[in-house]
Amino acid sequence: MKRIDDILIPHYHYERADKISVQDILSWEVKAVAVDIDNTICYDATTKFIGDCEKWISNVKQSGIPIVILSNATTGRANRVAKKTGLRCISMANKPATDGFFKIAEMLDLKVEEIAFIGDQVFSDVKGANTAGGVSVLVDPAKTELSFYFFYKYRRMKEKPVRRLIAELEKQTGVPHKVKEVVKK
Ligand SMILES: [Mg+2]
């Protein structure tokens, strides 16, 4: 089997963003959270929330944990989701490029390693967060993407062996949702 790069392995894995409790976030020892939009809090290419994600966002906010949006979505749509949730937002982030991750840190006046980045894509959300030095949290995509159909079909195919390894590692840690140790700088 081809070796899977550690940069693709998240620190934590959850089925869905709204399954992440405030207690879980506190256990990650971060000071803030940045969430992706497409297939993480909203169905792909829409502004329609997945499950209880809208309520989940307001619960996180109420707990006092700062939460913002980091998305590759177009500015118009990302801003609509930001407005609905009352969250600050960086759109067209071009993840896995690390610029957006550092912009979020600047926005929050924190170090990137003090922020958990939640997203559904191994090759953009996890890779970018890990490269930047943040805490990476992978969720399962809510639905098959119909936008950029072939791009995503290929990308999700490439994710398969990585997600298999993630599931194995998660079992090995013996801690629910924990895939690997966060190495503090
Ligand atoms: Mg996404």
Side-chain angles (χ1 to χ4, degrees), residues 36-40 44 95 119-121 124-125 145 152 156:
D36 169 51
I37 294 178
D38 290 295
N39 251 335
T40 296
D44 184 53
K95 293 175 276 184
D120 68 296
Q121 285 198 57
S124 56
D125 300 295
E145 292 87 356
Y152 279 113
R156 293 300 186 192

Side-chain angles (χ1 to χ4, degrees), residues 17-26 28 30-35 41 52-68 85 87 116 118:
D18 60 1
K19 306 262 186 194
I20 301 170
S21 71
V22 167
Q23 280 308 316
D24 288 340
I25 298 172
L26 295 173
W28 304 338
V30 293
K31 293 184 179 162
V33 164
V35 281
I41 57 165
D52 285 327
C53 281
E54 191 171 18
K55 191 162 175 276
W56 172 77
I57 289 167
S58 82
N59 286 345
V60 173
K61 271 204 292 195
Q62 263 178 21
S63 77
I65 299 168
I67 174 166
V68 294
T85 51
L87 300 187
I118 303 172

Side-chain angles (χ1 to χ4, degrees), residues 59-102:
N59 286 345
V60 173
K61 271 204 292 195
Q62 263 178 21
S63 77
I65 299 168
I67 174 166
V68 294
I69 292 170
L70 177 64
S71 172
N72 284 356
T74 56
T75 302
R77 188 162 56 84
N79 283 348
R80 283 204 295 283
V81 178
K83 203 174 167 193
K84 274 188 176 182
T85 51
L87 300 187
R88 286 182 288 168
C89 169
I90 288 175
S91 56
M92 296 183 79
N94 195 28
K95 293 175 276 184
T98 53
D99 310 38
F101 295 85
F102 290 111

Side-chain angles (χ1 to χ4, degrees), residues 170-185:
E170 193 178 335
K171 266 191 224 152
Q172 281 172 26
T173 64
V175 180
H177 310 292
K178 187 172 185 172
V179 181
K180 72 175 182 189
E181 211 59 56
V182 178
V183 180
K184 291 274 175 196
K185 281 182 205 160

